[in-house]
Amino acid sequence: MERFIEVAEGVSLWVESRGPEDAPAILLIMGSTASGLVWPDALVDALARKHRVIRYDHRDTGASTWAFDRVPYSATRMAEDALAILDALGIERAHVVGLSLGGFLVQWLLVAHPERLLSATVLGAPALEGAPARANVTARAPIAPELYAFWGQMFEPREREAQIEWRVENWRRLNGKVIPFDAEEFRALERRIIAHAGRHDTSTAHARADPSGLARGAELAHVTVPTLVIATPEDPTNPESNSRFLAATLPRSTLVRIDGMGHAIPRAVVPPLAAALLGHIETVGIR
């Protein structure tokens, strides 16, 4: 089921729901500038066998409204969009999974709206700013400098095919060096996303959205929602030490390492990722 949900006046988000509508819900929150289609169909289908799985396009991505200059917003407003989607679908509480920026938004939901979460999963994101220091555990290791330099080209205007190739190269860098990179897999993904969005540019909106409201890391130590932290050892944006720190900070956390995984979700990581998510969700369900 696909639909558009209005989350603010003149701002609608593309939302897709799969699986039994009366089953426990899993809400998938993607990262910055990325369409919800980056969550692979194979992963969504694996989760949807026994759950209602929802993925969506953030504002200024995919088929959702692109209007930051007309309707500016903060990063915390993006997190509130997730709640607006649950409200529109009649879902009181959900298992919430966030990748990259989505991982920050999930952490904000953990401290700001824990009553809406059955469980949480964070991957590809360090702890929110302000988390208390821990001896011998690094809170935020730096992003690889060569990746930062490459991202400096992100918003340059390009023809459609050149844009696809730039994005494929970005996925290659995010994939890491352990799992073989299939360029055609990600080329097909980007062609699908561009067709879905009806445009091939990348919005600067998320880079301009005020992130300051996310600085609530000091509250993570009081979170009681069961949270899975997935360590992705080949991630050039979020080294494994960041995940260990986050897991040590959250009182009811479980740390799972997916060998070879970077900051992308190629076919090879779908089975272990689905198993980790379902194992966590099923454990929460029997507590």
Side-chain angles (χ1 to χ4, degrees):
M1 179 190 75
E2 296 182 32
R3 61 181 287 188
F4 286 88
I5 292 174
E6 188 173 62
V7 295
E9 185 175 355
V11 178
S12 295
L13 305 187
W14 173 85
V15 179
E16 180 198 65
S17 176
R18 297 192 191 184
E21 292 195 4
D22 59 348
I26 301 174
L27 180 67
L28 304 176
I29 305 180
M30 187 36 69
S32 176
T33 75
S35 165
L37 294 182
V38 174
W39 295 106
D41 286 347
L43 176 65
V44 174
D45 289 340
L47 300 177
R49 293 189 185 111
K50 295 182 179 179
H51 300 86
R52 184 181 186 184
V53 183
I54 301 139
R55 61 180 173 177
Y56 68 99
D57 292 337
H58 291 296
R59 302 171 186 227
D60 294 282
T61 67
S64 293
T65 301
W66 293 47
F68 185 85
D69 290 332
R70 178 173 59 83
V71 188
Y73 51 86
S74 64
T76 55
R77 186 64 183 85
M78 294 175 71
E80 290 169 352
D81 287 347
L83 300 179
I85 289 170
L86 295 181
D87 289 341
L89 297 178
I91 298 169
E92 182 179 351
R93 302 176 71 200
H95 302 280
V96 182
V97 180
L99 169 65
S100 194
L101 172 64
F104 287 121
L105 303 185
V106 167
Q107 291 179 65
W108 187 85
L109 291 171
L110 280 170
V111 299
H113 294 281
E115 74 283 355
R116 302 300 302 271
L117 277 61
L118 292 168
S119 77
T121 298
V122 176
L123 62 158
L128 296 180
E129 185 178 346
R134 290 181 172 272
N136 304 317
V137 185
T138 302
R140 291 194 179 199
I143 294 174
E146 62 273 16
L147 183 60
Y148 251 140
F150 181 71
W151 283 352
Q153 309 166 20
M154 183 178 296
F155 306 117
E156 293 178 4
R158 300 179 185 86
E159 297 296 329
R160 179 178 180 275
E161 291 304 310
Q163 178 75 332
I164 290 171
E165 293 309 310
W166 189 92
R167 291 182 183 180
V168 170
E169 173 60 19
N170 188 46
W171 285 122
R172 184 189 68 77
R173 293 168 182 249
L174 294 175
N175 187 73
K177 299 179 180 179
V178 171
I179 294 173
F181 180 69
D182 183 347
E184 193 51 45
E185 175 186 351
F186 285 91
R187 191 171 288 113
L189 170 64
E190 289 301 337
R191 292 188 190 282
R192 181 184 177 197
I193 289 170
I194 288 170
H196 169 69
R199 57 194 299 169
H200 68 269
D201 56 327
T202 299
S203 172
T204 62
H206 295 177
R208 293 186 285 155
D210 179 9
S212 60
L214 295 178
R216 296 180 64 172
E219 299 169 66
L220 293 175
H222 306 293
V223 168
T224 59
V225 176
T227 304
L228 174 65
V229 179
I230 297 180
T232 50
E234 293 299 308
D235 189 340
T237 77
N238 187 61
E240 189 171 356
S241 59
N242 290 0
S243 298
R244 291 198 300 269
F245 177 91
L246 178 58
T249 301
L250 291 164
R252 297 189 63 189
S253 69
T254 302
L255 180 66
V256 171
R257 185 180 198 263
I258 297 183
D259 292 337
M261 187 173 180
H263 203 74
I265 314 177
R267 293 188 191 98
V269 305
V270 168
L273 179 56
L277 293 173
L278 290 171
H280 172 61
I281 289 167
E282 289 168 5
T283 299
V284 170
I286 63 176
R287 286 180 181 175

